[in-house]
């Protein structure tokens, strides 16, 4: 079996971001910043670290800022240069996409994640590819991004591979859950996927986090445009069909997810990434401790009354 390399990654960014309104009315959810960079930059960097060469954005109306973010900004760059702000200039230059690396296509209506991925079919062509959901950040050790960990496993196993994280049983009804089979090293055979099962019906506690390596045959299933949960064309439904015909594994990874498309997850992500920042980390820690003391003080006053 030849294992074909993963060169392309698809980033679905056409959703409406309803959980974060009104912030996301005019601004794409994927441009919300966690620490000093927007969500989309975090995940593009994760993809670069995994060796991705072609970046495919599935965009929609009001999403133009996303492509601007990765383009040249001559006035800004020359001003930073003239002012000797070399370290910031380097950060800007590093994020500019080289010619021929960024591809954009539009999803005319947000008909669901499965439909968004289908929109990439012509750009992906007949080769395996990665899918990264930009609102899920995975915080890992430097140089060991989630997709890189996946590519390392995929290069041994081939087939389809999804990243999973264990969640408390009472929360399985918020996620896609894996029905697991045999364990082969780091890879766990996937026998089925269940979207948002009730805790008593869930086949495991392994939740699908939003990082996928898929074979191009997934497009055959997506092109049926079948509507699933919530009336949307779901990626999970197409994957469930793919499982029946192809090698399909899951893997746990080293790292922690932050659902930054939800308000609470976003605040938590900002604390986690801020704490780790060499420039402001110590001050962020001090701030969090000050808030904790204030809150404890308020609780003590309330308890005494
Ligand atoms: P989400 O369901 O988290 O995004 O989809 P959403 O629909 O924008 O957010 P809420 O739930 O209303 O707050 C995960 C990713 O898939 C993209 C979204 O932009 C997001 O990055 N997506 C979702 C699409 O590109 N098209 C769709 O039809 C649906």
């Amino acid at each position: 079996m030849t294992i074909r390399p993963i060169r392309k990654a698809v980033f679905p960014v056409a959703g409406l971001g309803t959980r974060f309104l009104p912030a996301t009315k005019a601004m794409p959810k994927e441009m919300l910043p966690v620490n000093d960079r927007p969500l989309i930059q975090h995940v593009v960097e994760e993809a670069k670290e995994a060796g991705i060469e072609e970046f495919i954005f599935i965009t929609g109306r009001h999403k133009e800022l996303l492509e601007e973010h990765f383009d040249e900004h001559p006035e800004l760059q020359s001003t930073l240069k003239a002012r000797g702000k070399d370290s910031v200039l380097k950060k800007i230059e590093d994020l500019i996409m080289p010619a021929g690396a960024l591809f954009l296509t539009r999803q005319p209506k947000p008909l669901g994640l499965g439909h968004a991925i289908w929109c990439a079919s012509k750009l992906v062509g007949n080769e395996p590819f990665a899918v990264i959901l930009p609102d899920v950040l995975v915080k890992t050790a430097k140089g060991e991004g989630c997709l890189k960990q996946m590519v390392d496993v995929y290069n041994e196993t081939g087939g389809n591979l999804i990243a999973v994280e264990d969640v408390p049983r009472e929360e399985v009804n918020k996620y896609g859950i894996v029905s697991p089979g045999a364990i082969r090293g780091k890879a766990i055979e996937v026998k089925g996927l269940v979207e948002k099962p009730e805790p008593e019906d869930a086949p495991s506690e392994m939740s699908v986090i939003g990082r996928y390596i898929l074979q191009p045959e997934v497009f055959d299933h997506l092109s049926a445009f079948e509507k699933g949960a919530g009336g949307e064309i779901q990626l999970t439904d197409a994957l469930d069909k793919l499982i029946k015909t192809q090698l399909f594994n899951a893997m746990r990874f080293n790292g922690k997810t932050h659902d930054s498309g939800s308000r609470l997850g976003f605040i938590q992500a900002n604390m986690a990434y801020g704490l780790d920042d060499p420039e402001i980390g110590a001050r962020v820690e001090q701030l969090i401790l000050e808030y904790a003391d204030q809150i404890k003080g308020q609780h003590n006053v309330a308890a005494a009354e």
Side-chain angles (χ1 to χ4, degrees):
M1 178 185 65
T2 36
I3 296 174
R4 291 184 291 171
I6 306 300
R7 303 184 312 113
K8 302 183 179 184
V10 176
F11 301 82
V13 294
L16 296 175
T18 55
R19 284 172 296 161
F20 227 123
L21 285 168
T24 47
K25 179 171 173 284
M27 188 186 64
K29 166 172 80 171
E30 299 79 9
M31 285 302 291
L32 290 169
V34 164
N35 195 19
D36 64 346
R37 60 203 66 190
L39 296 178
I40 189 70
Q41 187 180 338
H42 282 279
V43 291
V44 162
E45 284 168 358
E46 180 184 334
K48 280 187 185 165
E49 203 176 84
I52 297 297
E53 297 160 13
E54 293 185 19
F55 303 80
I56 301 170
F57 288 5
I58 314 298
T59 75
R61 274 179 298 287
H62 311 302
K63 298 281 181 167
E64 290 80 5
L65 277 181
L66 286 160
E67 51 192 278
E68 286 299 330
H69 187 68
F70 294 96
D71 203 357
E72 299 270 353
H73 190 330
E75 302 94 290
L76 175 68
Q77 287 163 257
S78 57
T79 305
L80 291 173
K81 195 164 187 208
R83 292 186 186 163
K85 302 211 178 250
D86 295 341
S87 66
V88 193
L89 179 61
K90 169 131 187 18
K91 282 188 192 174
I92 301 295
E93 285 170 350
D94 283 350
L95 79 87
I96 295 165
M97 285 277 184
L102 180 61
F103 297 81
L104 303 154
T105 188
R106 276 200 182 207
Q107 183 189 25
K109 280 189 194 139
L111 299 177
L113 178 60
H115 183 259
I117 303 305
W118 175 83
C119 292
S121 56
K122 289 278 189 301
L123 289 170
V124 169
N126 187 27
E127 63 176 286
F129 63 104
V131 173
I132 302 191
L133 301 195
D135 47 0
V136 178
L137 296 190
V138 187
K139 196 160 182 309
T140 61
K142 224 177 159 39
E144 281 302 314
C146 183
L147 190 63
K148 179 173 187 308
Q149 295 179 43
M150 292 176 73
V151 166
D152 288 346
V153 171
Y154 166 84
N155 287 340
E156 301 286 320
T157 62
N160 301 275
L161 180 66
I162 55 176
V164 291
E165 185 172 58
D166 293 298
V167 292
R169 182 144 288 253
E170 60 275 17
E171 289 179 21
V172 289
N173 57 5
K174 293 191 206 148
Y175 304 93
I177 298 291
V178 165
S179 173
I183 298 175
R184 313 174 185 112
K186 283 194 173 170
I188 304 157
E189 180 193 358
V190 177
K191 294 175 112 179
L193 288 172
V194 197
E195 194 56 59
K196 305 188 173 75
E198 288 309 317
E200 55 278 17
D201 304 329
S204 76
E205 282 132 39
M206 280 184 252
S207 73
V208 180
I209 65 152
R211 299 288 183 276
Y212 312 78
I213 289 178
L214 300 174
Q215 296 297 320
E217 287 74 21
V218 70
F219 295 122
D220 300 340
H221 299 295
L222 287 171
S223 62
F225 298 132
E226 269 170 37
K227 285 186 183 161
E232 293 196 340
I233 300 166
Q234 299 283 356
L235 179 61
T236 313
D237 295 341
L239 299 186
D240 197 45
K241 291 189 184 121
L242 199 59
I243 289 163
K244 299 190 172 77
T245 56
Q246 286 198 346
L247 178 67
F248 206 115
N249 291 315
M251 64 170 274
R252 295 190 173 94
F253 52 92
N254 295 321
K256 177 165 175 14
T257 58
H258 293 280
D259 175 12
S260 313
S262 77
R263 288 165 57 195
L264 203 63
F266 174 78
I267 291 173
Q268 210 185 355
N270 268 297
M271 288 199 286
Y273 283 76
L275 279 170
D276 242 19
D277 185 301
E279 281 172 34
I280 61 164
R283 181 76 189 112
V284 173
E285 184 179 323
Q286 205 184 329
L287 275 175
I288 293 174
L289 293 172
E290 278 169 25
Y291 275 116
D293 280 346
Q294 265 179 36
I295 293 165
K296 273 190 216 145
Q298 283 160 8
H299 281 294
N300 290 344
V301 171
E305 278 171 2

